[in-house]
Amino acid sequence: MPTTYTDRGTGDALLLVHGHPFDRTMWDPQVEEFARTHRVVVPDLRGYGSAPVTPGTTLLSDFAEDVRALADRLGIARFALGGLSMGGQIVMECYRLFPERISSLVLADTFPAAETPDGRAARRAMADRLVREGMKPYADEVLEKMVAPYAAEEVKAHVYRMMTATDPEGAAAALRGRAERPDYRELLTTVTVPTLVVVGRDDTYTPVADAEAMHAAIPDCTLVIVESAAHLPNLEQPAAFNAALRTYLTG
């Protein structure tokens, strides 16, 4: 269970799940905005931020059970659940395991298909590389794919700081787990709660086409494309991201 988390505000619960290789501060602009009207809960996933590291392999189902355990611990019976990238895949796994707990979904810059054989091999190789080299070479390589090259310098600095502070063993365990993830595309067609799909216009990891496919698959779904953003629109364009989320949560 996540032992480090932010829990701010009162009202309907909004639980947000960060991506890889980040931590709960990824959601700082959303905590600031939504704690005025909601109870916002944002955990550090195991192996990230200040949370303990579980070496080896951490499956998406392990992360999902951690989310459920945290909600239980905090006495939150039902909640809106959002996640970005790997966090979005964890959210899909949560919906697979305990849909009765979830009042609505937010899927940001994420992808529902299972990994390809080549993709599985690449994730395992990256896990080995992170353990061998540490996080800095990887962070140097991907910073301007995580956020757009034109992103604000303070946003780049925040993202770089999160990536380089991540424990390589924790990040590697999650990568090995994601290599084994199931295919959520069929699950998405069965979703019965309102869903918001968000994507940065310039995201190359999970392009707009992936978001459009999810939007088409999910019955009660809103799609928002955030302009002038790549893979982390919640940090790159927080006002636009928050406005979309606010409209969705109050709609």
Side-chain angles (χ1 to χ4, degrees):
M1 180 200 320
T3 52
T4 55
Y5 56 89
T6 299
D7 179 5
R8 277 184 53 191
T10 57
D12 292 340
L14 171 63
L15 201 154
L16 297 172
V17 184
H18 67 75
H20 160 92
F22 307 125
D23 59 48
R24 72 184 193 272
T25 68
M26 191 197 96
W27 295 112
D28 280 355
Q30 287 67 53
V31 174
E32 288 303 314
E33 171 68 18
F34 291 96
R36 297 185 288 121
T37 52
H38 289 71
R39 182 181 183 182
V40 185
V41 176
V42 185
D44 278 335
L45 297 171
R46 68 165 82 180
Y48 295 90
S50 305
V53 174
T54 308
T57 301
T58 306
L59 298 171
L60 292 183
S61 56
D62 297 324
F63 288 125
E65 291 295 357
D66 288 345
V67 169
R68 172 155 52 182
L70 180 61
D72 289 347
R73 174 180 170 180
L74 297 178
I76 300 171
R78 212 150 178 262
F79 44 92
L81 181 62
L84 185 144
S85 193
M86 178 180 78
Q89 294 171 339
I90 293 166
V91 164
M92 292 182 246
E93 180 67 13
C94 290
Y95 192 83
R96 187 182 75 80
L97 292 174
F98 45 91
E100 72 285 351
R101 300 291 294 272
I102 298 165
S103 59
S104 57
L105 295 172
V106 180
L107 299 171
D109 300 80
T110 193
F111 183 65
E115 198 58 89
T116 63
D118 285 351
R120 279 199 293 275
R123 287 203 190 274
R124 292 180 189 131
M126 179 59 75
D128 293 343
R129 179 188 160 191
L130 295 183
V131 172
R132 187 173 65 247
E133 296 180 2
M135 297 301 294
K136 187 180 182 300
Y138 170 75
D140 290 340
E141 208 170 276
V142 302
L143 177 61
E144 290 196 346
K145 282 184 73 179
M146 292 294 186
V147 297
Y150 52 75
E153 288 306 317
E154 62 268 23
V155 172
K156 287 184 182 178
H158 179 191
V159 172
Y160 189 76
R161 189 166 61 245
M162 288 191 291
M163 289 196 288
T164 53
T166 296
D167 188 300
E169 289 282 0
L175 284 170
R176 295 185 195 106
R178 284 175 83 191
E180 307 306 323
R181 71 178 183 270
D183 193 320
Y184 296 109
R185 287 175 293 186
E186 183 62 33
L187 176 75
L188 292 183
T189 67
T190 70
V191 169
T192 58
V193 297
T195 303
L196 174 66
V197 171
V198 189
V199 66
R201 172 70 73 186
D202 296 330
D203 191 345
T204 56
Y205 283 122
T206 52
V208 169
D210 292 346
E212 290 172 337
M214 287 194 295
H215 175 239
I218 301 167
D220 180 9
C221 185
T222 301
L223 172 65
V224 174
I225 300 169
V226 179
E227 301 297 337
S228 302
H231 195 53
L232 294 168
N234 69 302
L235 284 173
E236 296 172 85
Q237 299 294 340
F241 186 96
N242 289 351
L245 185 53
R246 172 73 64 196
T247 300
Y248 163 75
L249 290 173
T250 57

